[in-house]
Amino acid sequence: MKRQENLERAKSSETWDVVVIGGGATGLGIAVDAATRGFSTLLLERRDFAKGTSSRSTKLVHGGVRYLAQGYVDLVREALRERGRLAKNAPHLFKSEAFIIPGEKWWTAPYYTFGLWLYDRLAGKLGIGHTRYLGKGEANKLLEGVKPEKLRNGVCYYDGQFDDSRLAVNLAQTAIEHGAAVVNYCEVIGLEKNEAGKICGVKIRDNLGGDEFTAKARCVVNATGVFANEINKMDDPNALDGIVPSQGVHIVIDRKFLPGDSALMVPKTSDGRVLFAVPWHDKLVVGTTDTLVKDAEYEPRPLEQEVEFILNTAKDYLVKAPTRADIRSVFVGLRPLAAPKDSGKSTKEVSRSHKVHVTPSGMVDIIGGKWTTYRQMAEDAVDAAIKDKTLPEKPCQTTELKIHGHAPADMSHHLGYYGSDRPAIEALAQTDAKAGSKIHPDHPFLYAEALWAVREEMAQTLEDVLARRIRLLFLDARAAAEVAEDVARYIAAELGKDENWVREQTEDFRKLCAQYHF
């Protein structure tokens, strides 16, 4: 996956069947869907793939237990079906995770067992595990680290867990393998329309090289998530905002706080939200919050009260209460919620279903949704263009499409996340002592992975490598800052960059790291 080759294709004079704006979960899914149907496809991302919301999820592939409680049965059924498909299509990134709801009252587990039995039934043949009631002894054994008084009983159910930005990179690779051109750091700065007022192309700026150029298109898709309003206003300056961003905060702490293999799920916290504590890359991700924010940003910041809420809820349940000093990283994601007709202040009741519509100028606009349903969202977006007669009819091919890296899961080793690419990275690690050594003594990541990220995964900056190809920033922000200069110098040689670049990258990345810890 070479950026320069894809950039040259983007600059070519061909008319693309589909131009996708946005390189997050939705946009990458659409690029895969369109390319595999046989449409010539170009995807443009103004930063890095999954730079925004798509690298900042709770790392769950799930049906949404709380949506079932709210009565969104169709949404849950769709998400559970897509969960099962992802388990088959990208097994190297998917883990079936046991989630335990602690039963503080005698009736808690029986009550939730019934609801989760229905959850299993909705998954049908694509189920990944069976819900079961846990007695006091088993609940305490499986949730070591949780206060015994919270575990009079329990209920265990299964959901999926994954690595979000690794999946994004694999989707970009999959799209390219099926003929798409995919480019990061390429920004759409305008839309071109013909005499009939229909969109016929996009104006583009290469944010690394500075060039501006135009790509002709039969169909343009706005898949920019929380930034969708921006593109919509390029199309129609009077367009109403279709997106209401909602902020979700997660903290990352050591596994010692919940040392078992099971995840903790608190179905109702002090303010009615759901809280998860999920094992991920040998750390524990705890979250999340739900706070309306005014503006969409690439680096949203956690509010003091959000971090306090997570710590206080964890303190209620965990024997050893985590403090601010225990936080390895804090990351914040923005949910691209479809704006409700009656704008209220709470987003807890807003469904995460996605919406697709075609604007009068022919642009396909897709908003809402979540990682779990990215494939269905992509199918719906391309189908909308076909229904609008913008594209000719061609059937969807992604239901059982193997995603790049497809291989049996091996979560026991951090290189397992690379799937079928793992042998090549292991071979790279054998080329010299540096490539085979650890980037940081406390973490398993190798210099060979940084090299691979630059050579094969289109990483262009230090942040691309340490935040989204290797997840060190999200796992341990202080450790990421410590190794910043060394890794920047290491990849600079591969990228053909000078000492000034190393200095700038190190400085910028360390400033970013400071936002990820308290």
Side-chain angles (χ1 to χ4, degrees):
M1 191 162 84
K2 312 290 184 196
R3 181 177 186 271
Q4 193 56 39
E5 290 172 12
N6 282 271
L7 181 61
E8 292 305 321
R9 287 191 60 201
K11 289 179 175 178
S12 69
S13 59
E14 73 174 287
T15 298
W16 300 90
D17 291 327
V18 181
V19 171
V20 184
I21 311 172
T26 310
L28 290 163
I30 292 166
V32 171
D33 185 287
T36 52
R37 292 196 204 209
F39 294 120
S40 61
T41 304
L42 170 64
L43 178 140
L44 303 161
E45 163 55 49
R46 71 177 170 188
R47 299 288 186 92
D48 184 32
F49 308 119
K51 160 68 181 171
T53 302
S54 296
S55 60
R56 301 154 187 271
S57 72
T58 315
K59 319 307 176 196
L60 301 181
V61 187
H62 64 134
V65 173
R66 76 181 170 103
Y67 304 125
L68 187 60
Q70 292 167 9
Y72 296 115
V73 175
D74 287 347
L75 176 67
V76 174
R77 185 186 283 113
E78 175 186 84
L80 289 172
R81 184 188 68 228
E82 292 304 312
R83 180 192 71 178
R85 286 173 175 167
L86 185 63
K88 290 183 174 182
N89 297 341
H92 60 298
L93 291 173
F94 186 97
K95 179 189 176 194
S96 179
E97 177 69 73
F99 287 78
I100 296 174
I101 297 175
E104 197 171 348
K105 307 277 195 300
W106 69 266
W107 52 264
T108 308
Y111 172 78
Y112 284 110
T113 300
F114 173 74
L116 289 162
W117 172 82
L118 179 59
Y119 193 65
D120 289 350
R121 291 297 294 266
L122 288 172
K125 291 177 181 175
L126 291 171
I128 58 172
H130 295 294
T131 295
R132 60 196 181 92
Y133 172 87
L134 303 176
K136 184 176 182 179
E138 192 177 8
N140 278 273
K141 184 181 174 186
L142 292 175
L143 271 189
E144 182 190 348
V146 172
K147 293 175 179 177
E149 61 266 31
K150 297 285 185 184
L151 290 167
R152 289 180 63 174
N153 51 39
V155 55
C156 174
Y157 73 98
Y158 291 85
D159 245 328
Q161 191 253 24
F162 79 133
D163 187 304
D164 45 15
S165 68
R166 290 293 328 155
L167 178 55
V169 169
N170 287 165
L171 287 172
Q173 290 166 314
T174 306
I176 289 169
E177 285 161 6
H178 287 88
V182 174
V183 199
N184 53 359
Y185 295 99
C186 261
E187 181 170 3
V188 171
I189 55 174
L191 302 173
E192 300 226 312
K193 295 184 180 180
N194 61 22
E195 290 173 1
K198 296 289 185 180
I199 293 174
C200 60
V202 295
K203 295 173 187 171
I204 304 162
R205 180 172 56 233
D206 173 6
N207 284 335
L208 297 183
D211 294 353
E212 293 188 5
F213 56 97
T214 301
K216 296 174 191 165
R218 293 184 179 88
C219 172
V220 172
V221 184
N222 177 10
T224 53
V226 292
F227 301 101
N229 298 337
E230 244 178 271
I231 304 296
N232 284 331
K233 283 188 167 58
M234 282 183 195
D235 180 24
D236 174 7
N238 299 314
L240 296 173
D241 287 351
I243 287 286
V244 176
S246 162
Q247 177 164 297
V249 173
H250 303 80
I251 67 169
V252 178
I253 55 178
D254 287 338
R255 281 291 297 279
K256 67 183 180 184
F257 292 97
L258 196 69
D261 292 330
S262 302
L264 168 68
M265 193 273 211
V266 179
K268 203 159 190 181
T269 58
S270 57
D271 69 348
R273 289 183 285 217
V274 172
L275 190 97
F276 293 100
V278 188
W280 185 66
H281 284 294
D282 209 32
K283 295 282 184 236
L284 199 66
V285 175
V286 188
T288 183
T289 60
D290 203 339
T291 310
L292 276 174
V293 292
K294 190 169 181 291
D295 299 311
E297 296 177 72
Y298 274 103
E299 286 297 341
R301 293 170 185 258
L303 301 174
E304 285 283 334
Q305 61 264 36
E306 291 177 305
V307 175
E308 283 301 314
F309 163 76
I310 293 172
L311 287 173
N312 286 335
T313 306
K315 181 181 172 184
D316 279 351
Y317 282 84
L318 300 179
V319 173
K320 183 173 167 45
T323 66
R324 283 170 176 260
D326 295 307
I327 296 174
R328 298 285 188 174
S329 187
V330 180
F331 64 90
V332 188
L334 296 180
R335 302 175 186 89
L337 298 179
K341 293 283 186 287
D342 51 336
S343 296
K345 291 294 177 193
S346 171
T347 59
K348 290 194 287 289
E349 302 303 315
V350 175
S351 164
R352 294 293 296 282
S353 60
H354 58 277
K355 293 179 173 62
V356 185
H357 79 281
V358 181
T359 69
S361 62
M363 183 169 73
V364 177
D365 198 27
I366 179 159
I367 55 176
K370 55 181 183 171
W371 250 120
T372 305
T373 53
Y374 87 90
R375 193 214 62 82
Q376 185 64 56
M377 291 166 69
E379 181 180 340
D380 291 350
V382 179
D383 281 352
I386 291 169
K387 189 177 178 184
D388 192 60
K389 303 285 193 285
T390 310
L391 294 173
E393 187 147 357
K394 293 183 181 183
C396 177
Q397 304 292 321
T398 58
T399 308
E400 296 179 4
L401 181 77
K402 290 181 179 178
I403 291 163
H404 180 94
H406 187 286
D410 179 10
M411 300 297 177
S412 65
H413 194 287
H414 81 283
L415 290 180
Y417 284 91
Y418 290 92
S420 61
D421 286 336
R422 178 178 175 177
I425 296 164
E426 288 174 332
L428 200 56
Q430 298 296 316
T431 54
D432 63 62
K434 181 83 168 176
S437 61
K438 286 183 178 182
I439 286 172
H440 190 284
D442 296 341
H443 297 273
F445 309 112
L446 307 174
Y447 281 94
E449 292 174 74
L451 208 52
W452 182 263
V454 171
R455 284 183 185 173
E456 304 294 340
E457 296 181 341
M458 230 184 271
Q460 302 295 308
T461 70
L462 178 62
E463 183 196 330
D464 295 349
V465 172
L466 290 180
R468 287 173 293 280
R469 308 305 187 278
I470 297 168
R471 306 311 304 273
L472 189 56
L473 174 63
F474 284 76
L475 294 165
D476 191 334
R478 288 180 181 84
E482 285 169 24
V483 302
E485 186 175 354
D486 190 40
V487 177
R489 187 163 284 112
Y490 186 72
I491 62 172
E494 186 68 24
L495 288 166
K497 302 294 185 181
D498 61 14
E499 196 61 30
N500 283 337
W501 184 87
V502 171
R503 189 169 58 251
E504 285 170 11
Q505 288 285 309
T506 302
E507 199 175 301
D508 290 349
F509 185 67
R510 282 182 175 156
K511 280 180 190 167
L512 181 64
C513 290
Q515 286 181 222
Y516 281 67
H517 64 72
F518 271 72

